[in-house]
Amino acid sequence: MTEPHELSAVAQLDALRAGEISSRELTEHYLDRIDRLDAGLGAFVTVTPEIAMADAARADERLARGEWSPLCGLPLGLKDLYPTAGIRTTFGSAALAEYVPTEDAWAVGLLRQAGAVIMGKTNTPEFGAACYTENDVTARPAVTPYDQGRYASGSSGGAAAAVAAGLLPVAHAGDGAGSTRTPAATCHLVGVKPSRGLVSPAPASSFFSTVIEGPIARTVRDAAMLLDVLARPWPGDLYGWRPETSFASAATRPLARPRKIAMWTGTGLDGVTPHPQSVLAVQRTAGLLGELGHEVHEIAIPAGCDGPVRQALKDLFVYAVGTMAPTLVAADRRHLFQPYTQHLITAAETMTAAEVVTAQTVLARYASTFLAGLDEFDLALTPTTNGPPVPIGHYFANGVDGEADLMLGWSCYTPWVNLTGQPAISLPSHVDGDGLPHGVQLVGRQRQDVELLALAAQLEDASPWADVHPPCWHQ
């Protein structure tokens, strides 16, 4: 007999609407799996059974009246970097372990309004500052269910671990330099970073922000369903926009013509070679795209990431985290920050305004080089990560001063897309001989998210990766 979590999120919604399962039954199923399995996965910071059951009861009442909304009765996890009214939001920091906001972030509010059943907050590194998910709030790092001795990446590591292990049907995530895509790759999932402005950052507002929320899911169609809910601009958005068609319909509609796709595996970093399995992932996907009728052209990476660019990335990261963290935490609790956060704050205190502006200028030029280099192509194909999920503790080998370089060497394929504002999606490629997942990244033109999702769905139909699961899936 098929267990509820074995159905796709879209199929679960269909079952809810048809009366084949109640939201209460579905919610109880997932709460039981969280209770039994999460201790080994570190997927959740906070689980909210009382709120979830109340949400489910309301959903069942609405369904009984014949009412419907896009996520009515579907369990969902929210990333712990985003405020949730009445539910603690720690930002992955022990300094904020008891903080309970009074208002929802804009996207969180959209998910609640759509009828989602809120199961809790998924694990994240402190202030989202790392591509691994380990903090002083939870007893366990977020690990990939394929090997519980390896990180599920970050900063959406908890979301990815939960979906891959069948603790959630789909999850809310956020991506500032790869934080949705790299966790998806470590957990054999689909992760979407939308075009700049598609998902509102409200209540935040900035002339220069690389962070955008999006879905982590098992299938492209599940991701498209959640993205349709999130893609609603706040009236004050500087870059807000909406597509003319839904992502759900794009994921079921064939592409009208073949696409011209650029491909590379070079890391752009001197002395950092591409991992053989990452190369294999791209080659496999390029071959499949060719069989589907698309043109794939191997090119050199349009811009390298060494010298001034690497320094600019570090400077902007230091400035963003090092100035934001102290504003959120009272002075008498800042001693609870982790060593890496303390390191970033200290570095930010010595930065000048000129250094910040210079970093932004260097990175703007870097992003423009990518856009110009890809102008003749419809999309780009790269690995998502430079190698498999890394062992717990990997990034601590060279102390806090060495963390940034180790992280960039592994996640080097993703940050440029946040700078250009293009849409990107990480798709599963294969599981290697050690049982570890690998993913590929597809990048579309700015605001061509619909086309990107359509191509991803075409690949999914040709290579049904949703049938691959970690060992705990059947527990």
Side-chain angles (χ1 to χ4, degrees), residues 426-451:
S426 180
L427 301 174
S429 166
H430 66 284
V431 173
D432 64 26
D434 295 321
L436 301 175
H438 298 265
V440 294
Q441 172 180 242
L442 279 171
V443 182
R445 289 182 178 272
Q446 292 170 322
R447 298 194 176 186
Q448 295 300 309
D449 301 55
V450 167
E451 176 184 71

Side-chain angles (χ1 to χ4, degrees), residues 89-97 99 126-127 323-337 341-342 345:
T89 301
T90 73
F91 296 89
S93 178
L96 291 166
Y99 173 58
E126 190 166 54
F127 302 111
T323 58
M324 175 267 292
T327 67
L328 294 175
V329 176
D332 62 350
R333 294 187 62 81
R334 292 175 192 168
H335 67 281
L336 296 172
F337 288 149
T341 302
Q342 298 278 15
I345 292 171

Side-chain angles (χ1 to χ4, degrees), residues 335-464:
H335 67 281
L336 296 172
F337 288 149
Q338 290 187 293
Y340 187 55
T341 302
Q342 298 278 15
H343 168 73
L344 296 175
I345 292 171
T346 300
E349 289 172 347
T350 63
M351 288 190 74
T352 66
E355 287 173 326
V356 176
V357 173
T358 298
Q360 291 178 337
T361 301
V362 169
L363 294 178
R365 187 181 304 116
Y366 173 67
S368 294
T369 303
F370 270 96
L371 291 172
L374 297 174
D375 184 58
E376 66 177 288
F377 299 98
D378 297 304
L379 300 107
L381 168 67
T382 76
T384 305
T385 65
N386 192 24
V390 302
I392 294 172
H394 170 81
Y395 296 108
F396 308 149
N398 301 325
V400 291
D401 288 332
E403 282 193 40
D405 285 329
L406 286 174
M407 288 193 288
L408 184 59
W410 183 78
S411 62
C412 53
Y413 296 105
T414 55
W416 65 272
V417 191
N418 297 80
L419 297 169
T420 63
Q422 294 169 264
I425 186 168
S426 180
L427 301 174
S429 166
H430 66 284
V431 173
D432 64 26
D434 295 321
L436 301 175
H438 298 265
V440 294
Q441 172 180 242
L442 279 171
V443 182
R445 289 182 178 272
Q446 292 170 322
R447 298 194 176 186
Q448 295 300 309
D449 301 55
V450 167
E451 176 184 71
L452 179 65
L453 268 290
L455 179 60
Q458 186 183 37
L459 276 171
E460 181 172 65
D461 289 340
S463 180

Side-chain angles (χ1 to χ4, degrees), residues 103-107 110 113 197-206 213 229-242:
E103 296 183 358
D104 286 329
W106 175 261
L110 293 177
Q113 292 164 29
L198 181 64
V199 180
S200 174
S205 188
S206 173
E213 292 154 85
V229 174
L230 292 169
R232 179 181 162 194
W234 176 65
D237 284 346
L238 296 177
Y239 307 106
W241 66 283
R242 292 189 77 171

Side-chain angles (χ1 to χ4, degrees), residues 191-371:
V192 181
K193 185 211 84 70
S195 288
R196 182 177 290 125
L198 181 64
V199 180
S200 174
S205 188
S206 173
F207 281 116
F208 187 85
S209 177
T210 65
V211 180
I212 188 165
E213 292 154 85
I216 282 182
R218 283 168 42 216
T219 73
V220 173
R221 288 168 179 81
D222 286 353
M225 173 270 297
L226 193 61
L227 192 56
D228 276 328
V229 174
L230 292 169
R232 179 181 162 194
W234 176 65
D237 284 346
L238 296 177
Y239 307 106
W241 66 283
R242 292 189 77 171
E244 294 181 357
T245 187
S246 76
F247 295 107
S249 63
T252 59
R253 188 177 62 240
L255 288 166
R257 61 174 177 82
R259 297 312 198 255
K260 185 178 180 181
I261 301 168
M263 176 194 94
W264 69 84
T265 57
T267 67
L269 296 166
D270 289 342
V272 179
T273 58
H275 192 281
Q277 291 292 333
S278 300
V279 174
L280 175 63
V282 169
Q283 291 173 338
R284 286 166 53 96
T285 305
L288 185 55
L289 287 165
E291 292 173 10
L292 293 170
H294 302 288
E295 295 180 36
V296 181
H297 301 265
E298 187 165 8
I299 68 169
I301 185 170
C305 194
D306 274 310
V309 172
R310 184 190 287 229
Q311 187 60 50
L313 282 171
K314 289 182 180 179
D315 286 348
L316 200 63
F317 187 68
V318 164
Y319 173 75
V321 179
T323 58
M324 175 267 292
T327 67
L328 294 175
V329 176
D332 62 350
R333 294 187 62 81
R334 292 175 192 168
H335 67 281
L336 296 172
F337 288 149
Q338 290 187 293
Y340 187 55
T341 302
Q342 298 278 15
H343 168 73
L344 296 175
I345 292 171
T346 300
E349 289 172 347
T350 63
M351 288 190 74
T352 66
E355 287 173 326
V356 176
V357 173
T358 298
Q360 291 178 337
T361 301
V362 169
L363 294 178
R365 187 181 304 116
Y366 173 67
S368 294
T369 303
F370 270 96
L371 291 172

